[in-house]
């Protein structure tokens, strides 16, 4: 039965017979390359199973005809939906099962069967649910494009036949195919017997067919869509090896590793001389049938031809992903991991040993080290003999000592690179803003040193030493977009706080059971008369206040909040104390939509011991006046001032619930000016010497893939990532409360703002009788736009001063390379996950292990382990390693001291560096490399190449170092180019930011 056949539905057997037959076929089937399977809609299949298990032929569970409608995007093209999940959206059945189900139940009219092939992918057999979908066109008419699907096991010949049929060309036509990717790069498909998978064809690519002309010529040696003509390529002549690599999408890690290997002279010369052709090993089961070696050779020959500005390593990238699935797709990876895979793959593809013999390893058993080392190296070369071994392999001495019986086991193991640890600091530097309880003091930026494995309480203690404020009176919070993203508890780990977080530490005074910590937001109201709604927008800096629970009425809170904002909020003058009915309509509209204070009365909200607002009391205007008189002086008397710059502490009498000891005298005018003189950031337009905090709430452009703090129990937010921070930055407008009563007074006192209960996002909370807050209540001060403009000094609110600790420049820790080598050879105890089996004790032991260097290769690769992972922390180390560019001497590190006359020396010169900028989960890779022909250093940043000076190479971004032994290095055959134009480029050796464009650019991306 063909895939498109429509057979008449035969009388199906009994339900039990159906069930047994299908179960038997499913039990005996297995995936075999080339077999045909079918896709069936999951719901239909499950209903059929229930139907046959019911045993009732007349049951309503009968599934009817096979219907895959839910799997298609539309019923015109019958194109399969993307991202369907097996056993949730569909099931796969073998051909025998499909034919029986089709014969018994038939299929919905005009619906095509979803026939799929089993393909043999590297190390796995898989039903190809999503075949490769290609765009097909003729070179003579590229506007006429058709689509077709092909299995990854189909060969190029099948594509050619399909194109001849689609475009009505005779099958005898002499034609050739080109593969065009999305960036207009084209490659000839020469081998028509190669499979779609091996040809690196993927969905979305275009295949172009051209037919030979009558005069025997081809219409084009290349399709016209190629950006650079053949003449342009022929006319360009550049320095061989000085060639960029196009970033295909997060492939900077691959480009960095390739540039380092490209500038390794012995390996590059081996490929340029085509010596690899004689040593390709197609039969090695551990290799890649020579494909990795050939793909790498193609890249090297293009880069060293001197005819390309930039090379597109697409085929190489596809080959790497084909044989190492971890590099599939376009995710960011580690350059050292790719380097490890590539060196191993090149070794296996070029291994001169065709049939590896089995060799039983022997322990030293007291024999001399020299004898054991020579035996280990001979055994290694009997199974591994390639240019990679000749160039990169050295020998370790590994010593294990059993802690119980003290058995000593000595072995010699080969290595391809050294992964050396970096000293890990136990402290970290944090920058925080301290907000004093004194309302007239500007926030002060501090730089404090805290333990890496410390807690929030350690941060408070360190800040307490600078501010003389007890650590127990501090609350630490993460601010984002004018709100508290997280309020930390004292026992939380500091690892939850990232370096890019904006951390504010608030002085909140002594706290007790009779006080509640209020989180205070500022919001601006926007009125929309036409739509009958009001929108609120957060602005300014949120605050944390410690308020007595017994004095949480709206009137008392209003004066308390006004006092807290005294530095940048101007209190109304007596002439501004009252207003008429001019804006009452808008005010009434707002109050009917929120739980604010009604026009004619004041709603008092009481906060009880659990922090919840449980009682609302509406008092009249007379009551309000009486309550105000009891609470203290009027607002006019309490907050008489000309403006934010003229507020005086002694002019303000606090309400009774604000204890006098909570207030401090404002700093003298000269003191504020002196503290502000240390600021080095952008000043505000008014010319004041204090920097501003405007940048704090613009955060959100940094990468969000790093771990962020988890919301504590005291927070009402579930957001845990930076991208979620951005989503929550603009809360929706509250719904209208249509049931609110309107009352209007002829005259009323002019409040600057109204107080609203909100959630942690700054949106309204229901104030019903059953509503209660958590232990962390949030309130918002809602400002009318006109009031905000008249009484809120935004420039003053954004100012801050810098503590003297900010003037001390951050010093990057510098360690000599020799210290890293010594750490590498330090005795360590094996971890519980990796014990050693002691042949004497006959059990696994946590033995001590020591590695020593016995012999070093011609090219030594040193991997600096900048990414530190422990049970408690994950971090990237920005330590600067002081590595020499010339004459790195390993003689003191080699265990073998007495070198014979034939032994090589141990002095090395640097030839390449792979750099990593960024953090744990994001970043960018570049490389420095020394050209073997002219001796000039270059900086490679994907497709862009610039001159580099030797004093720019040592940075805290250095990740993988390539050293060439001095006795094998040859003098440059060409004079170094003039770099006078590049000499203006400067970069600090401690600066771990990618280089800018101030260096002379030598190449450009051309593809």
């Amino acid at each position: 039965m063909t895939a498109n056949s429509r057979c008449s539905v035969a009388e199906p057997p009994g339900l039990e017979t159906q069930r047994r037959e299908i179960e038997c076929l499913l039990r005996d089937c297995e995936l075999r390359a080339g077999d045909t399977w079918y896709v069936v809609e999951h719901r239909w299949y499950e209903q059929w199973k229930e139907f046959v298990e019911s045993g009732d032929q007349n049951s309503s569970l009968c599934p009817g005809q096979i219907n895959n409608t839910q799997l298609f995007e539309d019923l015109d093209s019958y194109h399969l939906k993307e991202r369907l999940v097996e056993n949730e959206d569909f099931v796969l059945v073998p051909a025998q099962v499909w034919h029986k189900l089709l014969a018994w139940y038939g299929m919905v009219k005009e619906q095509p069967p979803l026939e799929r092939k089993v393909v043999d992918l590297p190390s796995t057999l898989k039903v190809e649910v999503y075949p490769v979908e290609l765009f097909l066109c003729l070179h003579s008419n590229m506007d006429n494009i058709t689509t077709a699907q092909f299995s990854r096991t189909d060969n190029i010949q099948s594509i050619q036949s399909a194109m001849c049929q689609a475009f009505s060309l005779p099958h005898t036509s002499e034609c050739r195919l080109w593969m065009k990717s999305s960036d207009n790069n084209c490659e000839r498909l020469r081998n028509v017997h190669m499979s779609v998978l091996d040809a690196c064809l993927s969905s979305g690519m275009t295949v172009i067919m051209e037919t030979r002309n009558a005069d025997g010529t081809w219409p084009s040696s290349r399709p016209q869509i190629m950006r650079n003509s053949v003449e342009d390529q022929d006319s360009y002549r550049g320095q061989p090896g000085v060639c960029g690599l196009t970033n295909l999408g997060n492939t900077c890690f691959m480009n960095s590793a390739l540039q380092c290997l490209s500038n390794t002279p012995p390996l590059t010369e081996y490929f340029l001389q085509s010596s690899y052709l004689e040593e390709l090993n197609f039969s090695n089961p551990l290799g890649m049938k020579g494909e990795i070696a050939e793909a790498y050779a193609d890249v090297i020959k293009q880069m060293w031809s001197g005819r390309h500005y930039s090379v597109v390593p697409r085929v190489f990238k596809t080959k790497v992903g084909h044989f190492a699935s971890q590099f599939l797709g376009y995710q960011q990876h580690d350059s050292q991991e790719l380097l490890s895979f590539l060196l191993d793959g090149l070794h296996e593809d070029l291994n001169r040993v065709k049939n590896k013999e089995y060799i039983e390893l022997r322990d030293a058993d007291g024999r001399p080290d020299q004898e054991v080392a020579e035996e280990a190296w001979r055994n290694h070369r009997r199974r591994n003999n390639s240019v990679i071994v000749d160039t990169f392999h050295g020998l370790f001495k590994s010593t294990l000592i059993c802690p119980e019986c003290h058995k000593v086991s000595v072995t010699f193991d080969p290595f391809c690179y050294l992964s050396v640890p970096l000293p890990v600091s136990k402290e970290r530097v944090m920058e925080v803003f301290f907000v004093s309880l004194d309302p007239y003091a500007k926030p002060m930026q501090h730089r404090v040193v805290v333990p890496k494995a410390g807690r929030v309480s350690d941060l408070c203690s360190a800040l307490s030493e600078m501010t003389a404020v007890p650590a127990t009176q501090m609350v630490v919070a993460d601010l984002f977009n004018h709100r508290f993203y997280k309020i930390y508890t004292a026992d939380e780990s500091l690892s939850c706080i990232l370096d890019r977080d904006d951390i504010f530490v608030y002085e909140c005074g002594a706290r007790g059971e009779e006080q509640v910590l209020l989180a205070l937001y500022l919001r601006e109201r926007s009125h929309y008369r036409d739509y009958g709604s009001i929108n609120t927008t957060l602005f300014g800096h949120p605050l944390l206040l410690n308020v007595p629970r017994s004095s949480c009425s709206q009137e008392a809170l209003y004066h308390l909040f006004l006092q807290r904002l005294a530095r940048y909020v101007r209190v109304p003058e007596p002439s501004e104390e009252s207003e008429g009915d001019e804006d009452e309509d808008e005010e009434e509209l707002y109050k009917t939509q929120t739980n604010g204070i009604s026009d004619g009365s004041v709603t008092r909200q009481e906060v009880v011991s659990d922090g919840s607002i449980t009682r609302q009391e509406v008092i009249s205007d007379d009551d309000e006046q009486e309550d105000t008189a009891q609470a203290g002086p009027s607002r006019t008397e309490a907050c008489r001032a000309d403006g934010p710059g003229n507020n005086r502490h002694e002019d303000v009498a606090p309400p009774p619930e604000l204890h006098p000891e909570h207030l401090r005298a404002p700093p003298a005018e000269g003191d504020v000016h002196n503290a502000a003189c240390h600021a080095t950031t952008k000043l505000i337009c008014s010319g004041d010497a204090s920097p501003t905090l405007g940048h704090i709430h613009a955060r959100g452009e940094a990468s969000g893939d790093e771990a962020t703090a988890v919301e504590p129990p005291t927070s009402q937010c579930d957001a845990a990532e930076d991208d979620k921070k951005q989503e929550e930055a603009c809360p929706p407008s509250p719904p209208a409360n249509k049931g609110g009563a309107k009352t209007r007074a002829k005259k009323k006192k002019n409040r600057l703002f109204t107080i609203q209960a909100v959630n942690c996002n700054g949106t309204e909370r229901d104030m019903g009788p059953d509503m209660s807050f958590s232990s962390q209540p949030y309130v918002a001060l809602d400002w009318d736009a006109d009031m905000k403009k008249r009484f809120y000094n935004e420039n003053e609110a954004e100012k801050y001063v810098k503590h003297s600790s900010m003037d001390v420049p951050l010093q990057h820790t510098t360690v000599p390379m020799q210290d890293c080598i010594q750490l590498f050879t330090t005795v360590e105890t094996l971890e519980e996950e990796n014990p050693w089996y002691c042949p004497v004790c006959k059990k696994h032991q946590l033995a001590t292990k020591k590695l020593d260097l016995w012999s070093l290769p011609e090219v030594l690769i040193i991997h600096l382990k900048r990414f530190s992972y422990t049970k408690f922390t994950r971090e990237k180390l920005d330590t600067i390693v002081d590595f020499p560019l010339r004459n790195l001497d390993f003689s003191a590190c080699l265990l073998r001291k007495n070198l014979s006359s034939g032994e090589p020396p141990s002095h090395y010169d640097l030839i390449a560096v792979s750099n990593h900028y960024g953090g744990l989960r994001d970043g960018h890779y570049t490389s420095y490399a020394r050209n073997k022909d002219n001796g000039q250093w270059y900086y490679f940043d994907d497709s862009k190449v610039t001159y580099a000076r030797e004093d720019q190479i040592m940075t805290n971004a250095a990740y993988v170092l390539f050293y060439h032994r001095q006795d094998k290095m040859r003098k440059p055959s060409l004079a170094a180019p003039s770099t006078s134009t590049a000499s203006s480029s400067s970069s600090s050796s401690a600066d771990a930011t990618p280089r800018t464009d101030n260096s002379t650019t030598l190449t450009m991306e051309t593809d």
Side-chain angles (χ1 to χ4, degrees), residues 3 27 42 118 158 205 257 307 403 532 553 607 683-684 786 872 948 951:
R27 185 170 53 250
H42 181 264
V118 178
S158 63
M205 288 186 174
R307 295 174 178 266
S553 66
V607 180
L683 301 181
I684 63 172
D786 180 64
F872 307 102
D951 60 355

Side-chain angles (χ1 to χ4, degrees), residues 239-240 269 304 930-936 969-976:
Q239 172 63 43
E269 291 171 0
W304 286 85
R930 178 180 179 271
N931 188 275
K932 68 181 181 67
D933 292 338
N934 62 16
Q936 171 66 40
M969 295 188 69
R970 295 184 307 179
K971 291 184 178 180
S973 57
L974 302 174

